[in-house]
Amino acid sequence: MSRRQQTSVSASQFDSADWKKEKKRILYQRKFRDTLKSTVAVLVVVAALAILAATLWLPVLRIYGNSMTPTLHEGNIVATVKTTEFEPGDVVAFYYNNKLLVKRVIAGPGDWVDIADDGTVYVNGRELEEPYLEEKALGETNIEYPYQVPEDRWFVMGDHRSVSLDSRTKAIGAIAEEQIVGKLVWRLWPFDAAGAL
C-alpha cells in the first residue's frame, strides 16, 4: 500500500470516528434541551395550578394582632378552605373595611345571642361551651342583648375577648356570607405548632 493510500485510509477512519463523536454529542445536546424544556413546562403548569388552588380553594393567610390568642398568635400562617357551611366553633377569615379579620363563629342565622356581664355567652338560651378561651370577658360591646342574628349572617367573636373587636359592636356586627373568605383548617407555621385548628 502506498504512502498516499495509507494517509487516505487514516484520514477517513479519523473522520468516521470524529463524525460518530460529533453525532453523539449533538444527540445528547438535543435530548438534554428537550428534557429541560419539558421540565420547565411541567414546573410552570404545576406552579400555575398551585397559585390557582391557593387563590380559589385554599388561601394561605398570615395572622396579625392578638384577638385570637391563645388559639392563634401573631405571625402564624394558616390555610383556609373556601366553603359556605359553618358551625359554631369554626374559625373564619372575612373582609371588613378592606382588612382581613379572623374570628370564631359563635352563632348562625336566626340564632339568639346573649352575653352576661362576666362574659359568659348564651346561644338560644344555652350556655356556650368554650374550651378555647383562657378567660371570659364582656369586652367592647354596644349592641342590645339578647341579639338575634339576621338571616344569611354569622355572629363572630375573637378568642381574646377583652381586646377583640367583633360582632359585639355595631361597627362590625354580624358578618354576611359574601364577606367570608373561608374557614381556617390548618396551622402551617410555626412548624412546632403545625396542625389542624
Side-chain angles (χ1 to χ4, degrees):
M1 185 181 284
S2 72
R3 190 171 183 163
R4 187 174 183 186
Q5 287 176 329
Q6 284 179 346
T7 305
S8 174
V9 169
S10 298
S12 69
Q13 286 176 343
F14 180 75
D15 288 343
S16 176
D18 279 350
W19 183 80
K20 286 180 181 177
K21 282 183 183 178
E22 185 63 17
K23 182 179 177 185
K24 190 174 182 180
R25 187 183 68 80
I26 290 170
L27 289 173
Y28 175 79
Q29 282 181 338
R30 186 176 296 152
K31 185 176 179 182
F32 178 78
R33 190 171 39 246
D34 291 345
T35 302
L36 185 62
K37 281 182 184 177
S38 65
T39 301
V40 168
V42 167
L43 290 175
V44 167
V45 169
V46 168
L49 290 174
I51 290 168
L52 189 63
T55 304
L56 299 177
W57 182 71
L58 194 71
V60 175
L61 308 172
R62 183 176 178 158
I63 303 299
Y64 293 96
N66 60 358
S67 70
M68 282 301 292
T69 56
T71 306
L72 296 168
H73 298 275
E74 185 158 0
N76 286 175
I77 297 175
V78 295
T80 65
V81 172
K82 296 261 188 178
T83 182
T84 55
E85 297 179 16
F86 306 102
E87 295 180 9
D90 289 344
V91 179
V92 297
F94 61 95
Y95 285 109
Y96 170 73
N97 279 354
N98 295 325
K99 291 181 183 176
L100 203 55
L101 302 181
V102 173
K103 307 292 177 188
R104 188 177 298 276
V105 173
I106 300 300
D111 288 339
W112 286 90
V113 177
D114 199 2
I115 304 177
D117 290 339
D118 68 351
T120 301
V121 178
Y122 298 89
V123 176
N124 297 325
R126 302 179 89 179
E127 183 178 342
L128 188 64
E129 290 185 33
E130 300 185 283
Y132 39 81
L133 295 182
E134 281 186 345
E135 61 179 317
K136 295 179 180 182
L138 181 58
E140 186 176 328
T141 182
N142 59 7
I143 63 173
E144 192 174 315
Y145 298 103
Y147 173 84
Q148 186 173 27
V149 183
E151 286 303 314
D152 298 323
R153 293 191 173 261
W154 299 88
F155 193 92
V156 296
M157 295 170 67
D159 289 354
H160 193 176
R161 299 285 161 79
S162 60
V163 299
S164 178
L165 292 176
D166 45 44
S167 293
R168 294 173 291 174
T169 65
K170 291 178 183 176
I172 295 178
I175 59 169
E177 287 184 19
E178 308 86 64
Q179 292 175 264
I180 299 176
V181 173
K183 176 169 67 172
L184 279 65
V185 292
W186 197 267
R187 184 190 341 254
L188 303 170
W189 178 265
F191 288 130
D192 60 343
L197 292 172

